PDB file of all heavy atoms in Angstrom:
ATOM      1  N   TYR A  32      30.291 -32.201  38.708  1.00  0.00           N
ATOM      2  CA  TYR A  32      30.696 -31.465  39.896  1.00  0.00           C
ATOM      3  C   TYR A  32      31.865 -32.250  40.476  1.00  0.00           C
ATOM      4  O   TYR A  32      31.771 -33.462  40.675  1.00  0.00           O
ATOM      5  CB  TYR A  32      29.552 -31.352  40.891  1.00  0.00           C
ATOM      6  CG  TYR A  32      28.419 -30.532  40.340  1.00  0.00           C
ATOM      7  CD1 TYR A  32      27.356 -31.139  39.682  1.00  0.00           C
ATOM      8  CD2 TYR A  32      28.424 -29.147  40.449  1.00  0.00           C
ATOM      9  CE1 TYR A  32      26.321 -30.391  39.157  1.00  0.00           C
ATOM     10  CE2 TYR A  32      27.397 -28.396  39.923  1.00  0.00           C
ATOM     11  CZ  TYR A  32      26.341 -29.019  39.268  1.00  0.00           C
ATOM     12  OH  TYR A  32      25.338 -28.271  38.741  1.00  0.00           O
ATOM     13  N   TYR A  36      39.026 -34.053  48.419  1.00  0.00           N
ATOM     14  CA  TYR A  36      38.950 -34.235  49.862  1.00  0.00           C
ATOM     15  C   TYR A  36      40.321 -34.654  50.378  1.00  0.00           C
ATOM     16  O   TYR A  36      41.089 -35.322  49.677  1.00  0.00           O
ATOM     17  CB  TYR A  36      37.939 -35.326  50.233  1.00  0.00           C
ATOM     18  CG  TYR A  36      36.501 -34.879  50.185  1.00  0.00           C
ATOM     19  CD1 TYR A  36      35.811 -34.822  48.987  1.00  0.00           C
ATOM     20  CD2 TYR A  36      35.839 -34.498  51.357  1.00  0.00           C
ATOM     21  CE1 TYR A  36      34.489 -34.403  48.948  1.00  0.00           C
ATOM     22  CE2 TYR A  36      34.517 -34.090  51.326  1.00  0.00           C
ATOM     23  CZ  TYR A  36      33.852 -34.036  50.124  1.00  0.00           C
ATOM     24  OH  TYR A  36      32.548 -33.616  50.091  1.00  0.00           O
ATOM     25  N   GLN A  38      42.288 -36.583  53.754  1.00  0.00           N
ATOM     26  CA  GLN A  38      42.102 -37.421  54.934  1.00  0.00           C
ATOM     27  C   GLN A  38      43.418 -37.508  55.692  1.00  0.00           C
ATOM     28  O   GLN A  38      44.386 -38.094  55.196  1.00  0.00           O
ATOM     29  CB  GLN A  38      41.630 -38.825  54.551  1.00  0.00           C
ATOM     30  CG  GLN A  38      41.335 -39.711  55.738  1.00  0.00           C
ATOM     31  CD  GLN A  38      40.925 -41.113  55.326  1.00  0.00           C
ATOM     32  OE1 GLN A  38      41.329 -41.627  54.299  1.00  0.00           O
ATOM     33  NE2 GLN A  38      40.090 -41.743  56.155  1.00  0.00           N
ATOM     34  N   ASN A  41      43.864 -41.415  60.645  1.00  0.00           N
ATOM     35  CA  ASN A  41      42.847 -41.759  61.654  1.00  0.00           C
ATOM     36  C   ASN A  41      41.723 -40.726  61.753  1.00  0.00           C
ATOM     37  O   ASN A  41      41.125 -40.554  62.826  1.00  0.00           O
ATOM     38  CB  ASN A  41      43.489 -41.958  63.025  1.00  0.00           C
ATOM     39  CG  ASN A  41      44.514 -43.071  62.997  1.00  0.00           C
ATOM     40  OD1 ASN A  41      44.290 -44.103  62.375  1.00  0.00           O
ATOM     41  ND2 ASN A  41      45.644 -42.847  63.639  1.00  0.00           N
ATOM     42  N   GLY A  43      38.312 -38.623  59.464  1.00  0.00           N
ATOM     43  CA  GLY A  43      37.408 -38.676  58.323  1.00  0.00           C
ATOM     44  C   GLY A  43      37.901 -37.782  57.201  1.00  0.00           C
ATOM     45  O   GLY A  43      38.974 -37.178  57.286  1.00  0.00           O
ATOM     46  N   LEU A  44      37.134 -37.702  56.139  1.00  0.00           N
ATOM     47  CA  LEU A  44      37.505 -36.890  54.983  1.00  0.00           C
ATOM     48  C   LEU A  44      36.984 -35.470  55.164  1.00  0.00           C
ATOM     49  O   LEU A  44      35.851 -35.259  55.617  1.00  0.00           O
ATOM     50  CB  LEU A  44      36.929 -37.486  53.695  1.00  0.00           C
ATOM     51  CG  LEU A  44      37.677 -38.654  53.077  1.00  0.00           C
ATOM     52  CD1 LEU A  44      37.510 -39.919  53.899  1.00  0.00           C
ATOM     53  CD2 LEU A  44      37.205 -38.882  51.645  1.00  0.00           C
ATOM     54  N   LEU A  46      36.598 -31.601  53.157  1.00  0.00           N
ATOM     55  CA  LEU A  46      36.583 -30.950  51.862  1.00  0.00           C
ATOM     56  C   LEU A  46      37.743 -29.969  51.734  1.00  0.00           C
ATOM     57  O   LEU A  46      37.950 -29.116  52.592  1.00  0.00           O
ATOM     58  CB  LEU A  46      35.269 -30.200  51.673  1.00  0.00           C
ATOM     59  CG  LEU A  46      35.110 -29.460  50.355  1.00  0.00           C
ATOM     60  CD1 LEU A  46      34.977 -30.465  49.206  1.00  0.00           C
ATOM     61  CD2 LEU A  46      33.915 -28.530  50.393  1.00  0.00           C
ATOM     62  N   LYS A  49      35.963 -27.487  45.743  1.00  0.00           N
ATOM     63  CA  LYS A  49      35.024 -28.105  44.813  1.00  0.00           C
ATOM     64  C   LYS A  49      34.782 -27.217  43.606  1.00  0.00           C
ATOM     65  O   LYS A  49      34.865 -25.984  43.688  1.00  0.00           O
ATOM     66  CB  LYS A  49      33.700 -28.423  45.513  1.00  0.00           C
ATOM     67  CG  LYS A  49      32.878 -27.222  45.941  1.00  0.00           C
ATOM     68  CD  LYS A  49      31.572 -27.700  46.587  1.00  0.00           C
ATOM     69  CE  LYS A  49      30.692 -26.532  47.015  1.00  0.00           C
ATOM     70  NZ  LYS A  49      29.435 -26.997  47.656  1.00  0.00           N
ATOM     71  N   PHE A  90      41.717 -37.478  48.025  1.00  0.00           N
ATOM     72  CA  PHE A  90      40.729 -38.156  47.191  1.00  0.00           C
ATOM     73  C   PHE A  90      40.044 -37.146  46.270  1.00  0.00           C
ATOM     74  O   PHE A  90      39.568 -36.109  46.719  1.00  0.00           O
ATOM     75  CB  PHE A  90      39.655 -38.832  48.051  1.00  0.00           C
ATOM     76  CG  PHE A  90      40.159 -39.976  48.872  1.00  0.00           C
ATOM     77  CD1 PHE A  90      40.598 -39.770  50.172  1.00  0.00           C
ATOM     78  CD2 PHE A  90      40.187 -41.253  48.348  1.00  0.00           C
ATOM     79  CE1 PHE A  90      41.066 -40.828  50.934  1.00  0.00           C
ATOM     80  CE2 PHE A  90      40.650 -42.324  49.118  1.00  0.00           C
ATOM     81  CZ  PHE A  90      41.090 -42.113  50.402  1.00  0.00           C
ATOM     82  N   SER A  94      30.480 -35.993  41.286  1.00  0.00           N
ATOM     83  CA  SER A  94      29.150 -36.116  41.864  1.00  0.00           C
ATOM     84  C   SER A  94      28.067 -35.978  40.808  1.00  0.00           C
ATOM     85  O   SER A  94      28.183 -35.170  39.894  1.00  0.00           O
ATOM     86  CB  SER A  94      28.955 -35.038  42.921  1.00  0.00           C
ATOM     87  OG  SER A  94      27.596 -34.930  43.288  1.00  0.00           O
ATOM     88  N   ASP A  95      27.020 -36.795  40.960  1.00  0.00           N
ATOM     89  CA  ASP A  95      25.769 -36.519  40.254  1.00  0.00           C
ATOM     90  C   ASP A  95      24.714 -36.252  41.336  1.00  0.00           C
ATOM     91  O   ASP A  95      25.045 -36.025  42.476  1.00  0.00           O
ATOM     92  CB  ASP A  95      25.388 -37.663  39.322  1.00  0.00           C
ATOM     93  CG  ASP A  95      25.094 -38.966  40.078  1.00  0.00           C
ATOM     94  OD1 ASP A  95      24.929 -38.938  41.317  1.00  0.00           O
ATOM     95  OD2 ASP A  95      25.043 -40.002  39.419  1.00  0.00           O
ATOM     96  N   ARG A  96      23.465 -36.309  40.973  1.00  0.00           N
ATOM     97  CA  ARG A  96      22.447 -35.899  41.934  1.00  0.00           C
ATOM     98  C   ARG A  96      22.404 -36.802  43.167  1.00  0.00           C
ATOM     99  O   ARG A  96      22.152 -36.359  44.268  1.00  0.00           O
ATOM    100  CB  ARG A  96      21.074 -35.898  41.260  1.00  0.00           C
ATOM    101  CG  ARG A  96      20.002 -35.336  42.175  1.00  0.00           C
ATOM    102  CD  ARG A  96      18.754 -34.958  41.411  1.00  0.00           C
ATOM    103  NE  ARG A  96      17.755 -34.413  42.309  1.00  0.00           N
ATOM    104  CZ  ARG A  96      17.746 -33.163  42.745  1.00  0.00           C
ATOM    105  NH1 ARG A  96      18.692 -32.326  42.361  1.00  0.00           N
ATOM    106  NH2 ARG A  96      16.813 -32.747  43.575  1.00  0.00           N
ATOM    107  N   GLN A  97      22.645 -38.096  42.960  1.00  0.00           N
ATOM    108  CA  GLN A  97      22.477 -39.027  44.070  1.00  0.00           C
ATOM    109  C   GLN A  97      23.772 -39.462  44.712  1.00  0.00           C
ATOM    110  O   GLN A  97      23.826 -39.680  45.912  1.00  0.00           O
ATOM    111  CB  GLN A  97      21.731 -40.285  43.609  1.00  0.00           C
ATOM    112  CG  GLN A  97      20.255 -40.078  43.438  1.00  0.00           C
ATOM    113  CD  GLN A  97      19.523 -41.393  43.250  1.00  0.00           C
ATOM    114  OE1 GLN A  97      18.489 -41.427  42.626  1.00  0.00           O
ATOM    115  NE2 GLN A  97      20.033 -42.478  43.769  1.00  0.00           N
ATOM    116  N   ASN A  98      24.797 -39.608  43.911  1.00  0.00           N
ATOM    117  CA  ASN A  98      25.955 -40.280  44.457  1.00  0.00           C
ATOM    118  C   ASN A  98      27.246 -39.537  44.222  1.00  0.00           C
ATOM    119  O   ASN A  98      27.372 -38.747  43.294  1.00  0.00           O
ATOM    120  CB  ASN A  98      26.087 -41.663  43.854  1.00  0.00           C
ATOM    121  CG  ASN A  98      25.696 -42.730  44.852  1.00  0.00           C
ATOM    122  OD1 ASN A  98      26.081 -42.671  46.018  1.00  0.00           O
ATOM    123  ND2 ASN A  98      24.908 -43.683  44.408  1.00  0.00           N
ATOM    124  N   PHE A  99      28.174 -39.821  45.108  1.00  0.00           N
ATOM    125  CA  PHE A  99      29.548 -39.423  44.910  1.00  0.00           C
ATOM    126  C   PHE A  99      30.316 -40.645  44.451  1.00  0.00           C
ATOM    127  O   PHE A  99      30.139 -41.718  44.990  1.00  0.00           O
ATOM    128  CB  PHE A  99      30.151 -38.946  46.232  1.00  0.00           C
ATOM    129  CG  PHE A  99      30.055 -37.480  46.472  1.00  0.00           C
ATOM    130  CD1 PHE A  99      28.833 -36.852  46.599  1.00  0.00           C
ATOM    131  CD2 PHE A  99      31.200 -36.714  46.573  1.00  0.00           C
ATOM    132  CE1 PHE A  99      28.742 -35.497  46.837  1.00  0.00           C
ATOM    133  CE2 PHE A  99      31.121 -35.350  46.812  1.00  0.00           C
ATOM    134  CZ  PHE A  99      29.894 -34.738  46.948  1.00  0.00           C
ATOM    135  N   PHE A 101      34.238 -41.752  44.303  1.00  0.00           N
ATOM    136  CA  PHE A 101      35.570 -41.354  44.744  1.00  0.00           C
ATOM    137  C   PHE A 101      36.638 -42.075  43.949  1.00  0.00           C
ATOM    138  O   PHE A 101      36.479 -43.237  43.563  1.00  0.00           O
ATOM    139  CB  PHE A 101      35.754 -41.668  46.225  1.00  0.00           C
ATOM    140  CG  PHE A 101      35.002 -40.749  47.142  1.00  0.00           C
ATOM    141  CD1 PHE A 101      33.704 -41.038  47.512  1.00  0.00           C
ATOM    142  CD2 PHE A 101      35.591 -39.599  47.627  1.00  0.00           C
ATOM    143  CE1 PHE A 101      32.989 -40.186  48.347  1.00  0.00           C
ATOM    144  CE2 PHE A 101      34.889 -38.735  48.461  1.00  0.00           C
ATOM    145  CZ  PHE A 101      33.588 -39.029  48.816  1.00  0.00           C
TER     146      PHE A 101
ATOM    147  N   TYR B  31      20.217 -36.940  52.103  1.00  0.00           N
ATOM    148  CA  TYR B  31      21.036 -38.045  51.609  1.00  0.00           C
ATOM    149  C   TYR B  31      22.021 -38.487  52.681  1.00  0.00           C
ATOM    150  O   TYR B  31      22.717 -37.661  53.278  1.00  0.00           O
ATOM    151  CB  TYR B  31      21.829 -37.631  50.370  1.00  0.00           C
ATOM    152  CG  TYR B  31      21.026 -37.530  49.092  1.00  0.00           C
ATOM    153  CD1 TYR B  31      19.699 -37.151  49.088  1.00  0.00           C
ATOM    154  CD2 TYR B  31      21.614 -37.806  47.871  1.00  0.00           C
ATOM    155  CE1 TYR B  31      18.970 -37.049  47.915  1.00  0.00           C
ATOM    156  CE2 TYR B  31      20.907 -37.706  46.681  1.00  0.00           C
ATOM    157  CZ  TYR B  31      19.584 -37.329  46.713  1.00  0.00           C
ATOM    158  OH  TYR B  31      18.877 -37.231  45.550  1.00  0.00           O
ATOM    159  N   TYR B  33      24.965 -41.845  53.595  1.00  0.00           N
ATOM    160  CA  TYR B  33      25.768 -42.886  52.965  1.00  0.00           C
ATOM    161  C   TYR B  33      26.551 -43.654  54.023  1.00  0.00           C
ATOM    162  O   TYR B  33      26.930 -43.097  55.049  1.00  0.00           O
ATOM    163  CB  TYR B  33      26.787 -42.264  51.999  1.00  0.00           C
ATOM    164  CG  TYR B  33      26.221 -41.316  50.982  1.00  0.00           C
ATOM    165  CD1 TYR B  33      25.999 -39.977  51.299  1.00  0.00           C
ATOM    166  CD2 TYR B  33      25.936 -41.734  49.691  1.00  0.00           C
ATOM    167  CE1 TYR B  33      25.491 -39.094  50.363  1.00  0.00           C
ATOM    168  CE2 TYR B  33      25.439 -40.854  48.743  1.00  0.00           C
ATOM    169  CZ  TYR B  33      25.217 -39.543  49.087  1.00  0.00           C
ATOM    170  OH  TYR B  33      24.718 -38.673  48.148  1.00  0.00           O
ATOM    171  N   GLN B  37      36.396 -48.377  54.094  1.00  0.00           N
ATOM    172  CA  GLN B  37      37.716 -48.060  53.562  1.00  0.00           C
ATOM    173  C   GLN B  37      38.700 -49.090  54.089  1.00  0.00           C
ATOM    174  O   GLN B  37      38.944 -49.182  55.289  1.00  0.00           O
ATOM    175  CB  GLN B  37      38.163 -46.656  53.978  1.00  0.00           C
ATOM    176  CG  GLN B  37      39.493 -46.237  53.374  1.00  0.00           C
ATOM    177  CD  GLN B  37      39.919 -44.848  53.818  1.00  0.00           C
ATOM    178  OE1 GLN B  37      39.630 -44.424  54.935  1.00  0.00           O
ATOM    179  NE2 GLN B  37      40.612 -44.136  52.948  1.00  0.00           N
ATOM    180  N   LEU B  45      31.184 -47.803  48.480  1.00  0.00           N
ATOM    181  CA  LEU B  45      29.848 -47.496  48.969  1.00  0.00           C
ATOM    182  C   LEU B  45      29.124 -48.777  49.348  1.00  0.00           C
ATOM    183  O   LEU B  45      29.014 -49.702  48.535  1.00  0.00           O
ATOM    184  CB  LEU B  45      29.071 -46.734  47.899  1.00  0.00           C
ATOM    185  CG  LEU B  45      27.660 -46.299  48.257  1.00  0.00           C
ATOM    186  CD1 LEU B  45      27.689 -45.278  49.398  1.00  0.00           C
ATOM    187  CD2 LEU B  45      26.963 -45.708  47.041  1.00  0.00           C
ATOM    188  N   TYR B  48      23.170 -46.506  50.656  1.00  0.00           N
ATOM    189  CA  TYR B  48      22.859 -45.102  50.750  1.00  0.00           C
ATOM    190  C   TYR B  48      21.355 -44.922  50.890  1.00  0.00           C
ATOM    191  O   TYR B  48      20.578 -45.860  50.664  1.00  0.00           O
ATOM    192  CB  TYR B  48      23.417 -44.314  49.563  1.00  0.00           C
ATOM    193  CG  TYR B  48      22.772 -44.609  48.233  1.00  0.00           C
ATOM    194  CD1 TYR B  48      21.778 -43.782  47.719  1.00  0.00           C
ATOM    195  CD2 TYR B  48      23.195 -45.693  47.472  1.00  0.00           C
ATOM    196  CE1 TYR B  48      21.201 -44.038  46.491  1.00  0.00           C
ATOM    197  CE2 TYR B  48      22.622 -45.961  46.248  1.00  0.00           C
ATOM    198  CZ  TYR B  48      21.631 -45.127  45.751  1.00  0.00           C
ATOM    199  OH  TYR B  48      21.068 -45.389  44.532  1.00  0.00           O
ATOM    200  N   PHE B  90      32.804 -45.316  57.322  1.00  0.00           N
ATOM    201  CA  PHE B  90      32.492 -43.897  57.360  1.00  0.00           C
ATOM    202  C   PHE B  90      31.038 -43.673  56.974  1.00  0.00           C
ATOM    203  O   PHE B  90      30.576 -44.184  55.952  1.00  0.00           O
ATOM    204  CB  PHE B  90      33.381 -43.104  56.406  1.00  0.00           C
ATOM    205  CG  PHE B  90      34.808 -43.010  56.847  1.00  0.00           C
ATOM    206  CD1 PHE B  90      35.769 -43.848  56.313  1.00  0.00           C
ATOM    207  CD2 PHE B  90      35.182 -42.087  57.806  1.00  0.00           C
ATOM    208  CE1 PHE B  90      37.090 -43.763  56.727  1.00  0.00           C
ATOM    209  CE2 PHE B  90      36.504 -42.000  58.228  1.00  0.00           C
ATOM    210  CZ  PHE B  90      37.455 -42.831  57.688  1.00  0.00           C
ATOM    211  N   ARG B  94      24.674 -35.465  52.899  1.00  0.00           N
ATOM    212  CA  ARG B  94      24.697 -34.250  52.088  1.00  0.00           C
ATOM    213  C   ARG B  94      23.273 -33.809  51.836  1.00  0.00           C
ATOM    214  O   ARG B  94      22.323 -34.595  51.935  1.00  0.00           O
ATOM    215  CB  ARG B  94      25.420 -34.465  50.768  1.00  0.00           C
ATOM    216  CG  ARG B  94      24.717 -35.386  49.796  1.00  0.00           C
ATOM    217  CD  ARG B  94      25.578 -35.729  48.625  1.00  0.00           C
ATOM    218  NE  ARG B  94      25.505 -34.719  47.587  1.00  0.00           N
ATOM    219  CZ  ARG B  94      25.363 -35.006  46.295  1.00  0.00           C
ATOM    220  NH1 ARG B  94      25.280 -36.255  45.901  1.00  0.00           N
ATOM    221  NH2 ARG B  94      25.330 -34.051  45.406  1.00  0.00           N
ATOM    222  N   THR B  97      19.665 -31.651  47.301  1.00  0.00           N
ATOM    223  CA  THR B  97      18.874 -30.812  46.390  1.00  0.00           C
ATOM    224  C   THR B  97      19.695 -30.275  45.244  1.00  0.00           C
ATOM    225  O   THR B  97      19.165 -29.730  44.297  1.00  0.00           O
ATOM    226  CB  THR B  97      18.237 -29.634  47.147  1.00  0.00           C
ATOM    227  OG1 THR B  97      19.262 -28.885  47.799  1.00  0.00           O
ATOM    228  CG2 THR B  97      17.241 -30.141  48.170  1.00  0.00           C
ATOM    229  N   SER B  99      23.459 -31.080  42.838  1.00  0.00           N
ATOM    230  CA  SER B  99      24.574 -31.993  42.615  1.00  0.00           C
ATOM    231  C   SER B  99      25.879 -31.461  43.158  1.00  0.00           C
ATOM    232  O   SER B  99      26.798 -32.217  43.440  1.00  0.00           O
ATOM    233  CB  SER B  99      24.732 -32.275  41.124  1.00  0.00           C
ATOM    234  OG  SER B  99      23.581 -32.903  40.619  1.00  0.00           O
ATOM    235  N   GLY B 100      25.954 -30.144  43.312  1.00  0.00           N
ATOM    236  CA  GLY B 100      27.218 -29.581  43.774  1.00  0.00           C
ATOM    237  C   GLY B 100      27.348 -29.498  45.271  1.00  0.00           C
ATOM    238  O   GLY B 100      28.291 -28.898  45.774  1.00  0.00           O
ATOM    239  N   THR B 102      28.181 -30.371  48.999  1.00  0.00           N
ATOM    240  CA  THR B 102      29.285 -31.082  49.625  1.00  0.00           C
ATOM    241  C   THR B 102      28.782 -32.268  50.432  1.00  0.00           C
ATOM    242  O   THR B 102      27.728 -32.198  51.062  1.00  0.00           O
ATOM    243  CB  THR B 102      30.044 -30.109  50.538  1.00  0.00           C
ATOM    244  OG1 THR B 102      30.493 -29.015  49.760  1.00  0.00           O
ATOM    245  CG2 THR B 102      31.232 -30.786  51.202  1.00  0.00           C
ATOM    246  N   ILE B 103      29.548 -33.327  50.450  1.00  0.00           N
ATOM    247  CA  ILE B 103      29.278 -34.470  51.307  1.00  0.00           C
ATOM    248  C   ILE B 103      30.132 -34.323  52.565  1.00  0.00           C
ATOM    249  O   ILE B 103      31.308 -33.962  52.485  1.00  0.00           O
ATOM    250  CB  ILE B 103      29.542 -35.796  50.559  1.00  0.00           C
ATOM    251  CG1 ILE B 103      29.068 -36.992  51.357  1.00  0.00           C
ATOM    252  CG2 ILE B 103      30.994 -35.959  50.182  1.00  0.00           C
ATOM    253  CD1 ILE B 103      29.070 -38.286  50.562  1.00  0.00           C
ATOM    254  N   PHE B 105      31.555 -35.994  56.170  1.00  0.00           N
ATOM    255  CA  PHE B 105      31.884 -37.298  56.727  1.00  0.00           C
ATOM    256  C   PHE B 105      31.944 -37.265  58.243  1.00  0.00           C
ATOM    257  O   PHE B 105      32.317 -36.262  58.849  1.00  0.00           O
ATOM    258  CB  PHE B 105      33.236 -37.773  56.201  1.00  0.00           C
ATOM    259  CG  PHE B 105      33.191 -38.253  54.795  1.00  0.00           C
ATOM    260  CD1 PHE B 105      33.297 -37.371  53.740  1.00  0.00           C
ATOM    261  CD2 PHE B 105      33.018 -39.599  54.520  1.00  0.00           C
ATOM    262  CE1 PHE B 105      33.231 -37.808  52.429  1.00  0.00           C
ATOM    263  CE2 PHE B 105      32.958 -40.049  53.213  1.00  0.00           C
ATOM    264  CZ  PHE B 105      33.058 -39.154  52.163  1.00  0.00           C
ATOM    265  N   GLY B 106      31.608 -38.423  58.828  1.00  0.00           N
ATOM    266  CA  GLY B 106      31.902 -38.632  60.237  1.00  0.00           C
ATOM    267  C   GLY B 106      33.367 -38.980  60.425  1.00  0.00           C
ATOM    268  O   GLY B 106      34.127 -39.080  59.468  1.00  0.00           O
ATOM    269  N   TRP B 110      36.347 -47.811  63.545  1.00  0.00           N
ATOM    270  CA  TRP B 110      37.336 -48.855  63.237  1.00  0.00           C
ATOM    271  C   TRP B 110      36.826 -50.173  63.775  1.00  0.00           C
ATOM    272  O   TRP B 110      36.646 -50.332  64.989  1.00  0.00           O
ATOM    273  CB  TRP B 110      38.679 -48.508  63.891  1.00  0.00           C
ATOM    274  CG  TRP B 110      39.554 -47.624  63.075  1.00  0.00           C
ATOM    275  CD1 TRP B 110      40.671 -47.978  62.390  1.00  0.00           C
ATOM    276  CD2 TRP B 110      39.384 -46.223  62.852  1.00  0.00           C
ATOM    277  NE1 TRP B 110      41.201 -46.874  61.759  1.00  0.00           N
ATOM    278  CE2 TRP B 110      40.442 -45.790  62.023  1.00  0.00           C
ATOM    279  CE3 TRP B 110      38.429 -45.283  63.273  1.00  0.00           C
ATOM    280  CZ2 TRP B 110      40.583 -44.472  61.604  1.00  0.00           C
ATOM    281  CZ3 TRP B 110      38.565 -43.962  62.851  1.00  0.00           C
ATOM    282  CH2 TRP B 110      39.623 -43.577  62.025  1.00  0.00           C
TER     283      TRP B 110
END
Side-chain angles (χ1 to χ4, degrees):
Chain A
Y32 295 93
Y36 281 81
Q38 184 182 30
N41 300 319
L44 280 72
L46 180 69
K49 68 178 181 181
F90 293 92
S94 167
D95 64 14
R96 186 163 181 81
Q97 284 191 208
N98 254 316
F99 267 63
F101 287 89
Chain B
Y31 285 32
Y33 308 84
Q37 184 181 33
L45 182 65
Y48 68 98
F90 289 99
R94 68 189 275 225
T97 57
S99 298
T102 302
I103 189 169
F105 285 85
W110 273 254

